[in-house]
PDB file of all heavy atoms in Angstrom:
ATOM      1  N   VAL V   1      -6.842 -30.972   4.670  1.00 95.00           N
ATOM      2  CA  VAL V   1      -6.132 -29.878   4.101  1.00 95.00           C
ATOM      3  C   VAL V   1      -4.883 -29.618   4.950  1.00 95.00           C
ATOM      4  O   VAL V   1      -4.951 -29.495   6.151  1.00 95.00           O
ATOM      5  CB  VAL V   1      -7.027 -28.618   4.035  1.00 95.00           C
ATOM      6  CG1 VAL V   1      -6.190 -27.449   3.559  1.00 95.00           C
ATOM      7  CG2 VAL V   1      -8.184 -28.866   3.125  1.00 95.00           C
ATOM      8  N   MET V   2      -3.743 -29.391   4.243  1.00 93.00           N
ATOM      9  CA  MET V   2      -2.526 -28.920   4.887  1.00 93.00           C
ATOM     10  C   MET V   2      -2.181 -27.565   4.218  1.00 93.00           C
ATOM     11  O   MET V   2      -1.693 -27.540   3.027  1.00 93.00           O
ATOM     12  CB  MET V   2      -1.388 -29.894   4.673  1.00 93.00           C
ATOM     13  CG  MET V   2      -1.589 -31.244   5.445  1.00 93.00           C
ATOM     14  SD  MET V   2      -1.643 -30.975   7.236  1.00 93.00           S
ATOM     15  CE  MET V   2      -1.248 -32.615   7.831  1.00 93.00           C
ATOM     16  N   GLY V   3      -2.500 -26.495   4.904  1.00 89.00           N
ATOM     17  CA  GLY V   3      -2.363 -25.190   4.295  1.00 89.00           C
ATOM     18  C   GLY V   3      -1.033 -24.491   4.469  1.00 89.00           C
ATOM     19  O   GLY V   3      -0.111 -25.070   5.086  1.00 89.00           O
ATOM     20  N   LEU V   4      -0.927 -23.256   3.946  1.00 84.00           N
ATOM     21  CA  LEU V   4       0.258 -22.449   4.106  1.00 84.00           C
ATOM     22  C   LEU V   4      -0.038 -21.206   4.907  1.00 84.00           C
ATOM     23  O   LEU V   4      -1.116 -20.619   4.813  1.00 84.00           O
ATOM     24  CB  LEU V   4       0.821 -22.070   2.770  1.00 84.00           C
ATOM     25  CG  LEU V   4       1.375 -23.182   1.848  1.00 84.00           C
ATOM     26  CD1 LEU V   4       1.672 -22.557   0.466  1.00 84.00           C
ATOM     27  CD2 LEU V   4       2.665 -23.682   2.462  1.00 84.00           C
ATOM     28  N   LYS V   5       0.896 -20.799   5.658  1.00 85.00           N
ATOM     29  CA  LYS V   5       0.859 -19.483   6.325  1.00 85.00           C
ATOM     30  C   LYS V   5       1.643 -18.535   5.421  1.00 85.00           C
ATOM     31  O   LYS V   5       2.716 -18.822   4.928  1.00 85.00           O
ATOM     32  CB  LYS V   5       1.446 -19.494   7.692  1.00 85.00           C
ATOM     33  CG  LYS V   5       0.704 -20.363   8.713  1.00 85.00           C
ATOM     34  CD  LYS V   5       1.415 -20.348  10.054  1.00 85.00           C
ATOM     35  CE  LYS V   5       0.665 -21.202  11.071  1.00 85.00           C
ATOM     36  NZ  LYS V   5       1.337 -21.222  12.381  1.00 85.00           N
ATOM     37  N   LYS V   6       1.086 -17.274   5.310  1.00 85.00           N
ATOM     38  CA  LYS V   6       1.811 -16.239   4.502  1.00 85.00           C
ATOM     39  C   LYS V   6       1.934 -14.967   5.299  1.00 85.00           C
ATOM     40  O   LYS V   6       1.162 -14.616   6.154  1.00 85.00           O
ATOM     41  CB  LYS V   6       0.967 -16.044   3.229  1.00 85.00           C
ATOM     42  CG  LYS V   6       0.884 -17.242   2.297  1.00 85.00           C
ATOM     43  CD  LYS V   6       0.256 -16.892   0.992  1.00 85.00           C
ATOM     44  CE  LYS V   6       0.314 -18.111   0.014  1.00 85.00           C
ATOM     45  NZ  LYS V   6      -0.354 -17.741  -1.282  1.00 85.00           N
ATOM     46  N   ASP V   7       2.986 -14.183   4.875  1.00 85.00           N
ATOM     47  CA  ASP V   7       3.165 -12.920   5.474  1.00 85.00           C
ATOM     48  C   ASP V   7       2.365 -11.882   4.769  1.00 85.00           C
ATOM     49  O   ASP V   7       1.618 -12.188   3.807  1.00 85.00           O
ATOM     50  CB  ASP V   7       4.651 -12.554   5.565  1.00 85.00           C
ATOM     51  CG  ASP V   7       5.282 -12.447   4.125  1.00 85.00           C
ATOM     52  OD1 ASP V   7       4.537 -12.390   3.132  1.00 85.00           O
ATOM     53  OD2 ASP V   7       6.545 -12.487   4.072  1.00 85.00           O
ATOM     54  N   ASP V   8       2.489 -10.602   5.136  1.00 87.00           N
ATOM     55  CA  ASP V   8       1.677  -9.522   4.518  1.00 87.00           C
ATOM     56  C   ASP V   8       1.996  -9.254   3.081  1.00 87.00           C
ATOM     57  O   ASP V   8       1.293  -8.634   2.340  1.00 87.00           O
ATOM     58  CB  ASP V   8       1.779  -8.228   5.300  1.00 87.00           C
ATOM     59  CG  ASP V   8       3.219  -7.766   5.510  1.00 87.00           C
ATOM     60  OD1 ASP V   8       4.100  -8.458   4.994  1.00 87.00           O
ATOM     61  OD2 ASP V   8       3.442  -6.751   6.173  1.00 87.00           O
ATOM     62  N   LYS V   9       3.186  -9.816   2.612  1.00 84.00           N
ATOM     63  CA  LYS V   9       3.583  -9.717   1.170  1.00 84.00           C
ATOM     64  C   LYS V   9       3.103 -10.910   0.367  1.00 84.00           C
ATOM     65  O   LYS V   9       3.416 -10.973  -0.841  1.00 84.00           O
ATOM     66  CB  LYS V   9       5.045  -9.502   1.083  1.00 84.00           C
ATOM     67  CG  LYS V   9       5.523  -8.184   1.731  1.00 84.00           C
ATOM     68  CD  LYS V   9       7.026  -8.036   1.570  1.00 84.00           C
ATOM     69  CE  LYS V   9       7.586  -6.832   2.168  1.00 84.00           C
ATOM     70  NZ  LYS V   9       9.057  -6.637   2.052  1.00 84.00           N
ATOM     71  N   GLY V  10       2.522 -11.895   1.038  1.00 81.00           N
ATOM     72  CA  GLY V  10       2.057 -13.078   0.276  1.00 81.00           C
ATOM     73  C   GLY V  10       3.083 -14.166   0.212  1.00 81.00           C
ATOM     74  O   GLY V  10       2.874 -15.152  -0.506  1.00 81.00           O
ATOM     75  N   ASN V  11       4.228 -14.001   0.895  1.00 79.00           N
ATOM     76  CA  ASN V  11       5.229 -15.066   0.852  1.00 79.00           C
ATOM     77  C   ASN V  11       4.923 -16.143   1.882  1.00 79.00           C
ATOM     78  O   ASN V  11       4.473 -15.822   2.983  1.00 79.00           O
ATOM     79  CB  ASN V  11       6.619 -14.448   1.231  1.00 79.00           C
ATOM     80  CG  ASN V  11       7.024 -13.384   0.249  1.00 79.00           C
ATOM     81  OD1 ASN V  11       6.907 -13.606  -0.974  1.00 79.00           O
ATOM     82  ND2 ASN V  11       7.558 -12.274   0.683  1.00 79.00           N
ATOM     83  N   ALA V  12       5.094 -17.366   1.474  1.00 78.00           N
ATOM     84  CA  ALA V  12       4.922 -18.501   2.372  1.00 78.00           C
ATOM     85  C   ALA V  12       5.955 -18.491   3.510  1.00 78.00           C
ATOM     86  O   ALA V  12       7.138 -18.367   3.270  1.00 78.00           O
ATOM     87  CB  ALA V  12       4.967 -19.841   1.604  1.00 78.00           C
ATOM     88  N   VAL V  13       5.497 -18.572   4.790  1.00 77.00           N
ATOM     89  CA  VAL V  13       6.438 -18.517   5.884  1.00 77.00           C
ATOM     90  C   VAL V  13       6.188 -19.697   6.836  1.00 77.00           C
ATOM     91  O   VAL V  13       6.838 -19.767   7.873  1.00 77.00           O
ATOM     92  CB  VAL V  13       6.237 -17.200   6.696  1.00 77.00           C
ATOM     93  CG1 VAL V  13       6.616 -16.026   5.830  1.00 77.00           C
ATOM     94  CG2 VAL V  13       4.779 -16.992   7.202  1.00 77.00           C
ATOM     95  N   GLY V  14       5.308 -20.574   6.510  1.00 77.00           N
ATOM     96  CA  GLY V  14       5.106 -21.753   7.412  1.00 77.00           C
ATOM     97  C   GLY V  14       3.905 -22.585   6.921  1.00 77.00           C
ATOM     98  O   GLY V  14       3.266 -22.231   5.920  1.00 77.00           O
ATOM     99  N   PHE V  15       3.654 -23.629   7.655  1.00 80.00           N
ATOM    100  CA  PHE V  15       2.501 -24.545   7.311  1.00 80.00           C
ATOM    101  C   PHE V  15       1.393 -24.373   8.308  1.00 80.00           C
ATOM    102  O   PHE V  15       1.610 -24.284   9.579  1.00 80.00           O
ATOM    103  CB  PHE V  15       2.974 -25.977   7.202  1.00 80.00           C
ATOM    104  CG  PHE V  15       3.707 -26.247   5.975  1.00 80.00           C
ATOM    105  CD1 PHE V  15       5.075 -26.089   5.848  1.00 80.00           C
ATOM    106  CD2 PHE V  15       3.014 -26.778   4.856  1.00 80.00           C
ATOM    107  CE1 PHE V  15       5.809 -26.339   4.712  1.00 80.00           C
ATOM    108  CE2 PHE V  15       3.743 -27.037   3.680  1.00 80.00           C
ATOM    109  CZ  PHE V  15       5.082 -26.854   3.591  1.00 80.00           C
ATOM    110  N   ALA V  16       0.168 -24.273   7.811  1.00 83.00           N
ATOM    111  CA  ALA V  16      -1.027 -24.178   8.734  1.00 83.00           C
ATOM    112  C   ALA V  16      -1.730 -25.569   8.664  1.00 83.00           C
ATOM    113  O   ALA V  16      -2.518 -25.869   7.848  1.00 83.00           O
ATOM    114  CB  ALA V  16      -1.975 -23.132   8.157  1.00 83.00           C
ATOM    115  N   GLU V  17      -1.217 -26.395   9.565  1.00 84.00           N
ATOM    116  CA  GLU V  17      -1.741 -27.767   9.647  1.00 84.00           C
ATOM    117  C   GLU V  17      -2.607 -27.963  10.833  1.00 84.00           C
ATOM    118  O   GLU V  17      -2.282 -27.555  11.996  1.00 84.00           O
ATOM    119  CB  GLU V  17      -0.525 -28.720   9.665  1.00 84.00           C
ATOM    120  CG  GLU V  17       0.365 -28.557   8.455  1.00 84.00           C
ATOM    121  CD  GLU V  17       1.600 -29.404   8.464  1.00 84.00           C
ATOM    122  OE1 GLU V  17       1.953 -29.856   9.553  1.00 84.00           O
ATOM    123  OE2 GLU V  17       2.157 -29.578   7.399  1.00 84.00           O
ATOM    124  N   PRO V  18      -3.810 -28.599  10.646  1.00 87.00           N
ATOM    125  CA  PRO V  18      -4.741 -28.721  11.781  1.00 87.00           C
ATOM    126  C   PRO V  18      -4.164 -29.567  12.933  1.00 87.00           C
ATOM    127  O   PRO V  18      -3.381 -30.517  12.718  1.00 87.00           O
ATOM    128  CB  PRO V  18      -5.890 -29.527  11.055  1.00 87.00           C
ATOM    129  CG  PRO V  18      -5.730 -29.282   9.622  1.00 87.00           C
ATOM    130  CD  PRO V  18      -4.210 -29.175   9.402  1.00 87.00           C
ATOM    131  N   GLU V  19      -4.571 -29.198  14.144  1.00 88.00           N
ATOM    132  CA  GLU V  19      -4.145 -29.977  15.313  1.00 88.00           C
ATOM    133  C   GLU V  19      -4.768 -31.343  15.292  1.00 88.00           C
ATOM    134  O   GLU V  19      -5.948 -31.523  14.837  1.00 88.00           O
ATOM    135  CB  GLU V  19      -4.599 -29.287  16.561  1.00 88.00           C
ATOM    136  CG  GLU V  19      -3.858 -27.977  16.809  1.00 88.00           C
ATOM    137  CD  GLU V  19      -2.398 -28.211  17.162  1.00 88.00           C
ATOM    138  OE1 GLU V  19      -2.056 -29.314  17.671  1.00 88.00           O
ATOM    139  OE2 GLU V  19      -1.564 -27.301  17.006  1.00 88.00           O
ATOM    140  N   GLY V  20      -4.059 -32.352  15.732  1.00 90.00           N
ATOM    141  CA  GLY V  20      -4.621 -33.692  15.921  1.00 90.00           C
ATOM    142  C   GLY V  20      -4.591 -34.546  14.640  1.00 90.00           C
ATOM    143  O   GLY V  20      -5.004 -35.732  14.710  1.00 90.00           O
ATOM    144  N   VAL V  21      -4.121 -34.040  13.542  1.00 93.00           N
ATOM    145  CA  VAL V  21      -4.038 -34.843  12.292  1.00 93.00           C
ATOM    146  C   VAL V  21      -2.918 -35.838  12.390  1.00 93.00           C
ATOM    147  O   VAL V  21      -1.810 -35.508  12.784  1.00 93.00           O
ATOM    148  CB  VAL V  21      -3.889 -33.933  11.035  1.00 93.00           C
ATOM    149  CG1 VAL V  21      -3.667 -34.798   9.770  1.00 93.00           C
ATOM    150  CG2 VAL V  21      -5.122 -33.066  10.896  1.00 93.00           C
ATOM    151  N   ASP V  22      -3.153 -37.063  12.009  1.00 93.00           N
ATOM    152  CA  ASP V  22      -2.153 -38.137  12.101  1.00 93.00           C
ATOM    153  C   ASP V  22      -1.921 -38.644  10.621  1.00 93.00           C
ATOM    154  O   ASP V  22      -2.576 -39.507  10.133  1.00 93.00           O
ATOM    155  CB  ASP V  22      -2.715 -39.288  12.936  1.00 93.00           C
ATOM    156  CG  ASP V  22      -1.640 -40.304  13.257  1.00 93.00           C
ATOM    157  OD1 ASP V  22      -0.455 -39.972  13.088  1.00 93.00           O
ATOM    158  OD2 ASP V  22      -1.996 -41.412  13.722  1.00 93.00           O
ATOM    159  N   PRO V  23      -0.975 -38.043   9.895  1.00 95.00           N
ATOM    160  CA  PRO V  23      -0.812 -38.280   8.447  1.00 95.00           C
ATOM    161  C   PRO V  23      -0.400 -39.719   8.236  1.00 95.00           C
ATOM    162  O   PRO V  23       0.398 -40.287   8.923  1.00 95.00           O
ATOM    163  CB  PRO V  23       0.305 -37.321   8.035  1.00 95.00           C
ATOM    164  CG  PRO V  23       0.355 -36.281   9.118  1.00 95.00           C
ATOM    165  CD  PRO V  23      -0.015 -37.018  10.410  1.00 95.00           C
ATOM    166  N   GLU V  24      -0.885 -40.283   7.129  1.00 96.00           N
ATOM    167  CA  GLU V  24      -0.503 -41.615   6.639  1.00 96.00           C
ATOM    168  C   GLU V  24       0.751 -41.456   5.752  1.00 96.00           C
ATOM    169  O   GLU V  24       0.732 -40.607   4.824  1.00 96.00           O
ATOM    170  CB  GLU V  24      -1.631 -42.212   5.836  1.00 96.00           C
ATOM    171  CG  GLU V  24      -1.260 -43.539   5.211  1.00 96.00           C
ATOM    172  CD  GLU V  24      -0.960 -44.627   6.315  1.00 96.00           C
ATOM    173  OE1 GLU V  24      -1.891 -44.875   7.145  1.00 96.00           O
ATOM    174  OE2 GLU V  24       0.181 -45.130   6.375  1.00 96.00           O
ATOM    175  N   LEU V  25       1.796 -42.185   6.075  1.00 96.00           N
ATOM    176  CA  LEU V  25       3.027 -41.980   5.335  1.00 96.00           C
ATOM    177  C   LEU V  25       3.067 -42.770   3.990  1.00 96.00           C
ATOM    178  O   LEU V  25       3.486 -42.253   3.029  1.00 96.00           O
ATOM    179  CB  LEU V  25       4.202 -42.520   6.223  1.00 96.00           C
ATOM    180  CG  LEU V  25       5.576 -42.326   5.698  1.00 96.00           C
ATOM    181  CD1 LEU V  25       5.950 -40.821   5.497  1.00 96.00           C
ATOM    182  CD2 LEU V  25       6.642 -43.011   6.614  1.00 96.00           C
ATOM    183  N   ASP V  26       2.579 -44.009   4.055  1.00 96.00           N
ATOM    184  CA  ASP V  26       2.617 -44.855   2.849  1.00 96.00           C
ATOM    185  C   ASP V  26       1.205 -45.099   2.317  1.00 96.00           C
ATOM    186  O   ASP V  26       0.548 -46.045   2.747  1.00 96.00           O
ATOM    187  CB  ASP V  26       3.311 -46.190   3.214  1.00 96.00           C
ATOM    188  CG  ASP V  26       3.625 -47.001   1.961  1.00 96.00           C
ATOM    189  OD1 ASP V  26       3.371 -46.576   0.867  1.00 96.00           O
ATOM    190  OD2 ASP V  26       4.173 -48.086   2.110  1.00 96.00           O
ATOM    191  N   HIS V  27       0.804 -44.269   1.451  1.00 96.00           N
ATOM    192  CA  HIS V  27      -0.583 -44.245   0.989  1.00 96.00           C
ATOM    193  C   HIS V  27      -0.665 -44.104  -0.511  1.00 96.00           C
ATOM    194  O   HIS V  27       0.045 -43.283  -1.051  1.00 96.00           O
ATOM    195  CB  HIS V  27      -1.470 -43.184   1.705  1.00 96.00           C
ATOM    196  CG  HIS V  27      -2.832 -43.044   1.148  1.00 96.00           C
ATOM    197  ND1 HIS V  27      -3.860 -43.931   1.482  1.00 96.00           N
ATOM    198  CD2 HIS V  27      -3.428 -42.102   0.362  1.00 96.00           C
ATOM    199  CE1 HIS V  27      -5.007 -43.580   0.903  1.00 96.00           C
ATOM    200  NE2 HIS V  27      -4.787 -42.494   0.206  1.00 96.00           N
ATOM    201  N   ALA V  28      -1.578 -44.803  -1.135  1.00 96.00           N
ATOM    202  CA  ALA V  28      -1.840 -44.654  -2.567  1.00 96.00           C
ATOM    203  C   ALA V  28      -3.323 -44.983  -2.781  1.00 96.00           C
ATOM    204  O   ALA V  28      -3.878 -45.884  -2.196  1.00 96.00           O
ATOM    205  CB  ALA V  28      -0.975 -45.624  -3.451  1.00 96.00           C
ATOM    206  N   ALA V  29      -3.846 -44.199  -3.711  1.00 96.00           N
ATOM    207  CA  ALA V  29      -5.333 -44.439  -4.003  1.00 96.00           C
ATOM    208  C   ALA V  29      -5.672 -43.722  -5.292  1.00 96.00           C
ATOM    209  O   ALA V  29      -5.027 -42.810  -5.768  1.00 96.00           O
ATOM    210  CB  ALA V  29      -6.183 -43.909  -2.874  1.00 96.00           C
ATOM    211  N   ARG V  30      -6.794 -44.227  -5.868  1.00 96.00           N
ATOM    212  CA  ARG V  30      -7.407 -43.528  -7.045  1.00 96.00           C
ATOM    213  C   ARG V  30      -8.502 -42.578  -6.462  1.00 96.00           C
ATOM    214  O   ARG V  30      -9.418 -43.084  -5.776  1.00 96.00           O
ATOM    215  CB  ARG V  30      -7.969 -44.496  -8.017  1.00 96.00           C
ATOM    216  CG  ARG V  30      -8.679 -43.901  -9.180  1.00 96.00           C
ATOM    217  CD  ARG V  30      -9.103 -44.886 -10.262  1.00 96.00           C
ATOM    218  NE  ARG V  30      -7.925 -45.501 -10.870  1.00 96.00           N
ATOM    219  CZ  ARG V  30      -8.012 -46.488 -11.795  1.00 96.00           C
ATOM    220  NH1 ARG V  30      -9.197 -46.943 -12.143  1.00 96.00           N
ATOM    221  NH2 ARG V  30      -6.946 -46.978 -12.338  1.00 96.00           N
ATOM    222  N   ILE V  31      -8.320 -41.300  -6.749  1.00 95.00           N
ATOM    223  CA  ILE V  31      -9.251 -40.298  -6.169  1.00 95.00           C
ATOM    224  C   ILE V  31     -10.038 -39.626  -7.285  1.00 95.00           C
ATOM    225  O   ILE V  31      -9.438 -39.255  -8.325  1.00 95.00           O
ATOM    226  CB  ILE V  31      -8.452 -39.271  -5.345  1.00 95.00           C
ATOM    227  CG1 ILE V  31      -7.559 -39.936  -4.305  1.00 95.00           C
ATOM    228  CG2 ILE V  31      -9.394 -38.248  -4.747  1.00 95.00           C
ATOM    229  CD1 ILE V  31      -6.613 -38.994  -3.639  1.00 95.00           C
TER     230      ILE V  31
END
């Protein structure tokens, strides 16, 4: 999960991304 940070008004102000995640750039799959 790559989440969103929000302020007290519910506006997105950043990304809440877990530490240590190493994202795959070129990926395709049937899920």
Side-chain angles (χ1 to χ4, degrees):
V1 175
M2 293 297 201
L4 290 173
K5 294 180 181 178
K6 295 186 177 182
D7 59 17
D8 54 2
K9 296 181 179 180
N11 298 317
V13 295
F15 282 88
E17 300 178 341
E19 292 291 336
V21 174
D22 191 15
E24 177 63 60
L25 184 63
D26 191 1
H27 174 74
R30 178 173 293 178
I31 305 172

